[in-house]
Amino acid sequence: MDKIYVVYWSQSGNTQAMAEAVGKGITDAGKEAAVVYVGDASIEDLKNGKCFALGCPAMGAEVLEESEMEPFVSEVEGFASGKTIALFGSYGWGDGQWMRDWEERMMGSGATVLNGEGLICHETPDEGIISECESLGKKLASV
């Protein structure tokens, strides 16, 4: 069974909780999920799959985390064409511009962003957001 990777970066644990819920949705749908911190993730694993999920909170002036996640996403752009990608993350301020920019980058690279947009959460994910993350995982598993 092919694994579906959920790669994330998290500082406060909010995006990690979202990643784990996406992974639960994948397994609930009967597929194998690998929820992996970006520093432990393999670009090759993502290249070999038809779909995967990426999660990162908004940082600074609504950008991706710059030391680990941004370089990883830049590499993903090089092979994203034809892939289906679920994007998610939490934020504490702003209006979600980092996610809109991220969606645009992935679609500009030829990827399909699941649901046409990323799933964002203000601060700590509540039960409703966790449920949405699980649904996102189920949709990813059906790709």
Side-chain angles (χ1 to χ4, degrees):
M1 179 187 308
D2 291 334
K3 288 182 186 176
I4 299 175
Y5 286 85
V6 180
V7 178
Y8 72 93
W9 187 92
S10 188
Q11 182 172 346
S12 66
N14 293 340
T15 300
Q16 180 178 358
M18 294 175 78
E20 290 168 356
V22 171
K24 181 181 183 309
I26 292 167
T27 56
D28 286 353
K31 300 284 177 107
E32 184 179 357
V35 180
V36 184
Y37 179 77
V38 68
D40 300 323
S42 162
I43 285 289
E44 291 305 313
D45 289 335
L46 300 189
K47 282 182 181 178
N48 293 327
K50 63 181 175 180
C51 64
F52 50 88
L54 299 173
C56 185
M59 303 294 289
E62 286 207 75
V63 296
L64 297 175
E65 187 279 328
E66 294 175 311
S67 67
E68 291 182 280
M69 197 66 181
E70 177 57 42
F72 192 84
V73 169
S74 290
E75 282 193 65
V76 168
E77 283 179 293
F79 65 86
S81 184
K83 305 287 186 187
T84 299
I85 305 172
L87 300 175
F88 62 92
S90 62
Y91 67 101
W93 60 91
D95 67 355
Q97 186 61 46
W98 103 101
M99 184 59 72
R100 290 189 296 277
D101 292 343
W102 197 6
E103 293 160 10
E104 187 175 300
R105 285 175 70 183
M106 294 296 97
M107 290 186 286
S109 297
T112 298
V113 175
L114 199 62
N115 294 336
E117 64 183 12
L119 176 59
I120 63 174
C121 163
H122 185 256
E123 302 291 351
T124 305
D126 61 16
E127 286 182 27
I129 292 291
I130 293 297
S131 178
E132 285 185 53
C133 289
E134 290 173 5
S135 292
L136 188 66
K138 289 175 185 172
K139 288 177 186 169
L140 194 60
S142 71
V143 168

